[in-house]
Structures are given as structure tokens and as C-alpha cells.
Amino acid sequence: MTTLHAADEYTLRAATPADVPAILQCIRGLAEYERLAHQCVATEARLHETLFGAAPAAEVVLASRGDETAGFALWFRSYSTFLAQPGIYLEDLFVLPAHRGRGLGRRLLAHLAWTAAERGYGRVEWAVLDWNADAIRFYRSLGAVPMDDWTTFRLTGDALAALGVAMR
């Protein structure tokens, strides 16, 4: 007899252009959760172009129960020079509050691990906010380890433009 787990009632699938409103819903929910809603300027038009246009920048896996969006994972291909292999960089993983505690986050990450193995990729990596103790515990429970010797840097906005102009 097969035991049915709560996460089994959910479907995971690759997103399509018709899913852009659901993707934006997840992105806005994540931005609110991370206390960064003021930085979220994503629009449906930009998502259509960057995810489903001529040169897609990322892939999205949607989780749903029936017609209801439950969460998503948005990722893109990275590359490790040390491994000489591509990998997956998980940009965002988010499960809507009503669907938490059912193993869906684990299923989304397991799907990415399966995708990496299926494609011959060497790793899956991501960043987590230092204050998000629940997420850190969850990731550690999966066997993920923090990269304590590394600091993430970002170049954006005016600094990005200024550096680009300096190179002309």
C-alpha cells in the first residue's frame, strides 16, 4: 500500500507564458515575505520577455493544487569552472503561506536536484537571507551547507551604469 503524503496532492510542471500572472503573484509574495516589496518592480510584460522571449534568462517550475498556484522555483543555468560543469542557480523558491508545511518546498528542491542530475549538472546553489532562520534550518535538513567563506556582491543601478560607461 502506497502512503500518500501531503505534497503528493500537488503538481509540479514547467511554467508556460500563460502562467506569467501566477509567477508574478509568487514573486510579489516572496518580496513581501523578504521585506523587500519596495524593490519589486517586476511586471507581466517583463516576465513574458525575459522568461519566454527570444532568449529566456531563466526557467520556472510551478507547484499547484488543482487550478490554485501553491509556489514556484525560478532558476537559471550557472557554470562552475572548478567542476567544468554547468549547474543550477536557484534564484527564488517560494511557497504561498496557505500551502506551507506540506513538504512542497522539499519537492521543489528535489525536482531541481533531479533536473541537475538528468542534465549532467554538477550542483544546485542559492542564497538565503541571514535572518531567515526557518529557511536555513530547512536547507540544512536537506543536507545543504552554507558557504561561510563567501560574500555575495551585487552591482546594480547607478553603480552598474557608471562602471559600464567607464569601459567605453
Side-chain angles (χ1 to χ4, degrees):
M1 177 180 195
T2 303
T3 303
L4 184 65
H5 300 283
D8 293 339
E9 65 189 79
Y10 292 90
T11 302
L12 301 185
R13 63 176 177 77
T16 68
D19 295 315
V20 165
I23 296 167
L24 186 55
Q25 172 194 7
C26 289
I27 291 170
R28 287 182 176 153
L30 176 62
E32 285 181 33
Y33 176 78
E34 291 184 342
R35 306 173 198 153
L36 297 170
H38 61 284
Q39 293 182 15
C40 185
V41 297
T43 64
E44 287 186 17
R46 288 173 96 176
L47 289 171
H48 268 288
E49 176 58 31
T50 57
L51 296 176
F52 303 105
E59 295 184 43
V60 177
V61 176
L62 275 181
S64 59
R65 183 173 60 191
D67 292 336
E68 183 182 7
T69 300
F72 84 132
L74 186 146
W75 63 276
F76 53 88
R77 193 169 98 159
S78 61
Y79 189 79
S80 168
T81 54
F82 287 9
L83 297 177
Q85 283 181 286
I88 286 177
Y89 188 85
L90 173 61
E91 181 66 21
D92 291 323
L93 174 73
F94 184 69
V95 175
L96 291 159
H99 302 279
R100 292 185 185 148
R102 297 183 172 128
L104 195 49
R106 176 181 285 274
R107 266 195 70 200
L108 284 162
L109 277 169
H111 177 80
L112 292 185
W114 176 85
T115 299
E118 182 76 10
R119 295 183 184 185
Y121 292 0
R123 63 181 166 205
V124 176
E125 49 191 355
W126 61 92
V128 62
L129 290 166
D130 291 338
W131 59 260
N132 196 342
D134 290 340
I136 292 168
R137 259 191 313 280
F138 168 63
Y139 296 142
R140 285 180 185 264
S141 77
L142 300 176
V145 294
M147 302 293 292
D148 292 331
D149 295 338
W150 296 85
T151 299
T152 301
F153 281 83
R154 179 177 291 160
L155 191 57
T156 187
D158 293 340
L160 177 65
L163 183 59
V165 167
M167 295 305 298
R168 286 187 179 196

